[in-house]
Amino acid sequence: MGNFLVWAIWLVAAGACLATGLRVVTASNPFSSALSLIGNLASLAVLFLLASGEFVAAAQVLVYAGAVMVMFLFVIAYLGGRADAPWAGGTRLIQTASVISAVSLLAVVFVALMLNAGGRLSDEAEVTRAFGSPGEMGRLFLTDHLLAFEITSIVLLVAAVGGVVLGMRSAAEELADAKPSLQQTVASPEEAAR
Amino acid sequence: MSGPGIPWYLAVAALLFSIGVAGVLLRRSPLIVLLSLEIMLNAANLAFVGFSRLFGEMDGQVFALAVMAVAAAEVCVGLGLIVAMARRNLALDVDTLTELRG
């Protein structure tokens, strides 16, 4: 019974995951794309949970489906009608080539998986209840993977600085905006002198 | 483990990755390209978590978290670029954006 329940939940989550993924790529309205991606991330979190990745699932919902997607929705709302994306680009030849390359990539991945690891994928390791728990993750981050942890923080800092620099109005833009009023105040005394 | 084995997870990850690749190659809007990139990163994450469960080592999950942080950084810079493009009244279309000069 428990086995059946796990299978049922897994199938629903995997189906939702693939369906929302397809919707992200095919929707012409960017809002429905972004909302479908939130569903995709949530169903992926369920799959992570079933593979005993509790902390990764929680981080997925908090960081991805929460913070990152809110940023996406804000930008789409800020862009308004300009964000509208009629769905495909390029000539029919390019579209066909894109689909063919995606499908062939899928085939290559499947063949590589089956050839390389065919028999060895079935015997899973026994894990304790601590596997994937926040405490264990924290211990790994502060012992074995300390360098990766620190580098991640630097990457995030650099990205934040980059975001601010990209968002800053450049000096040329400020001047272009300020010019009309500046010219008026400068020009009027000259005209009076003439 | 009761329930589906790791090959099923890997199959879903491969399918999801291909969906993301198709999105990046097909769509013209940089927003949708970024969303498709997120799908690809998450497919890789699913494979990481699946293999981590298979081998009983948590290093894969640690790397999945690192991938998440990198994705957040990428979204930060990518959305900054898109907003900067929109403010300069450039077309939001990756086919017409062929110059890097500001």
Side-chain angles (χ1 to χ4, degrees):
Chain A
M1 182 60 204
N3 199 358
F4 170 75
L5 201 63
V6 171
W7 264 103
I9 295 175
W10 190 89
L11 283 177
V12 168
C17 186
L18 293 176
T20 49
L22 275 176
R23 180 110 179 80
V24 171
V25 172
T26 54
S28 63
N29 183 356
F31 254 116
S32 51
S33 275
L35 291 177
S36 308
L37 188 58
I38 294 181
N40 189 330
L41 299 173
S43 47
L44 266 174
V46 174
L47 292 184
F48 289 167
L49 266 185
L50 291 179
S52 24
E54 286 94 359
F55 185 68
V56 182
Q60 172 95 350
V61 172
L62 283 175
V63 176
Y64 243 128
V68 170
M69 291 318 293
V70 165
M71 212 155 81
F72 255 109
L73 288 173
F74 265 127
V75 167
I76 292 172
Y78 168 75
L79 293 177
R82 299 197 54 188
D84 280 350
W87 100 268
T91 59
R92 184 147 292 275
L93 183 70
I94 295 178
Q95 291 178 27
T96 320
S98 310
V99 172
I100 289 175
S101 42
V103 171
S104 53
L105 183 71
L106 179 67
V108 167
V109 171
F110 266 118
V111 169
L113 274 179
M114 293 313 128
L115 285 185
N116 211 358
R120 283 178 290 158
L121 288 177
S122 48
D123 41 347
E124 283 163 32
E126 290 295 319
V127 291
T128 59
R129 296 189 62 164
F131 187 80
S133 67
E136 276 296 294
M137 296 293 285
R139 194 185 60 73
L140 272 181
F141 260 127
L142 292 179
T143 54
D144 292 358
H145 300 282
L146 186 61
L147 182 65
F149 186 64
E150 297 298 337
I151 289 176
T152 300
S153 62
I154 293 174
V155 166
L156 281 174
L157 176 69
V158 169
V161 172
V164 170
V165 169
L166 281 172
M168 250 180 351
R169 299 168 59 80
S170 66
E173 272 182 299
E174 295 277 6
L175 205 67
D177 276 1
K179 242 176 191 168
S181 55
L182 204 76
Q183 276 175 339
Q184 259 182 354
T185 48
V186 172
S188 44
E190 275 180 10
E191 276 172 14
R194 276 177 200 166
Chain B
M1 185 171 79
S2 61
I6 298 307
W8 293 89
Y9 287 90
L10 297 180
V12 172
L15 277 168
L16 212 57
F17 191 84
S18 306
I19 291 174
V21 169
V24 169
L25 290 178
L26 275 172
R27 300 302 301 262
R28 267 173 26 193
S29 161
L31 270 169
I32 311 286
V33 170
L34 266 185
L35 290 174
S36 306
L37 268 177
E38 300 294 316
I39 294 184
M40 290 164 72
L41 285 170
N42 273 292
N45 265 356
L46 183 60
F48 270 127
V49 173
F51 276 120
S52 150
R53 177 69 187 77
L54 175 70
F55 296 121
E57 299 279 344
M58 276 175 51
D59 301 330
Q61 298 192 5
V62 170
F63 204 88
L65 282 177
V67 169
M68 247 179 243
V70 169
E74 167 239 315
V75 164
C76 174
V77 174
L79 287 181
L81 275 175
I82 291 175
V83 169
M85 268 152 53
R87 246 194 354 227
R88 286 163 179 250
N89 286 320
L90 294 172
L92 290 181
D93 182 344
V94 291
D95 284 356
T96 61
L97 292 167
T98 51
E99 288 184 8
L100 265 180
R101 295 162 65 186

